[in-house]
Amino acid sequence: MTTISTTFREQAASLQPQLVAKRRELHRHPELSNEEFETTAKIRSWLTEAGIELLDLKLPTGVLAEVKGAKTGPTILLRADIDALPVNEETGLPFASEIPGKMHACGHDFHTVSMIGAARLLQEQADELSGTVRILFQPAEELAVGARAAIEAGVLEGVTAVFGMHNKPELPVGTVGIRTGPLMASVDRFEIDVFGKGGHAGIPDAAVDPIVVSSALVGALQTLVSRGVSPHHSAVVSVCKLQSGSTWNVIPDSAVLEGTVRTFEPEARRTIPDKMKRLVESVAEGYGAEARLKWTTMLSAVNNDARMAGILREAASAQGLQVVEAVPTMGGEDFALYQERVPGCFVWMGTGGTEQWHHPKFTLNEDALAISAAFFAEAAVQALESLG
Ligand code: NI
């Protein structure tokens, strides 16, 4: 008996050469966040050619499509991201980026084409589907603004569950990493302005040195984690920018620090801003300076729903993939914003690369294209059946 699972596998294998060609086309022409105009046009035309219905996303870039099953049922969302990075590609591949300074160094071209493959497989089986599969090709993930814009544009209206992935260089092709609970950290941003009093390098007693204050702050901020977060929980405070001064013999009058806080723990996320404010202001005061904290709330943690993770484990097994427990990362993903509103699951798709995300020599094994297309088609079918 031919099951829908084997059909997906066989059809995905026959689509593989086309998927590779499409992925290389996108890879040669990377576009940065919110500038994905050609990418959008290509996705639209590839979906239209396959007879897949496009919806009005109401954003300048990005694409929303839908495969409607013949039978009634819930609506689920599959999400891919489409943007590239300001990285100069150094892979030397024949299909390397043709645009200097821009590269698909995070593999979003892979995500995009995988979901195009899944959409095509689902379209072929539309008669068998009980419900609707909406597919979102989201812009501007790298700036962490695309998901918010897409949600405001209404992509989640009527949606019961959301599924997505990131490629994972450490995992071999044919392996998928799945876990219930937090997978990627919350991401928030801070900026600290330190106000001292400028003066002569040789007469420090007449000045208030903002560089000394800033140095004390860099060390003190680390205690927010070591002394302020339960040893059973994890959080990271990174100061990534520290700017002050203009020459060697003048004490400047101000300094700026910028950084990020990452955690999986909602409680740590809730309490760190107040603790940081108190610390920053009192350390500065101790030195006779003044400091102001500006906190920007960005992304919650990618947090996988147990039931949705279960559906994806089933789908992976049905497609003959090896399922491993996904290892979490302190990187962030705006997929988290969908999961704040509807239950979902985000997975690592094994792509067997040698370099990490965002590296100029980042590569992936294209054999994973057909595999992940079939996996997400299968996941959609199983989700519709399970949630209907
Ligand atoms: Ni990425």
Side-chain angles (χ1 to χ4, degrees), residues 81 106 108 111 141-142 166 333 358:
D81 42 11
C106 203
H108 296 186
H111 305 162
E141 189 282 325
E142 296 292 356
H166 208 289
E333 238 292 344
H358 299 200

Side-chain angles (χ1 to χ4, degrees), residues 79 81 83 138-149 151 184-185 187 298-300 302 332-341 346:
R79 177 273 208 172
D81 42 11
D83 51 336
Q138 181 209 298
E141 189 282 325
E142 296 292 356
L143 295 184
V145 297
R148 198 177 299 279
I151 290 166
M184 299 182 79
V187 177
M298 292 183 70
L299 298 174
S300 47
V302 168
E333 238 292 344
D334 67 3
F335 187 83
L337 299 182
Y338 304 112
Q339 291 176 307
E340 283 182 352
R341 290 155 180 90
F346 193 75

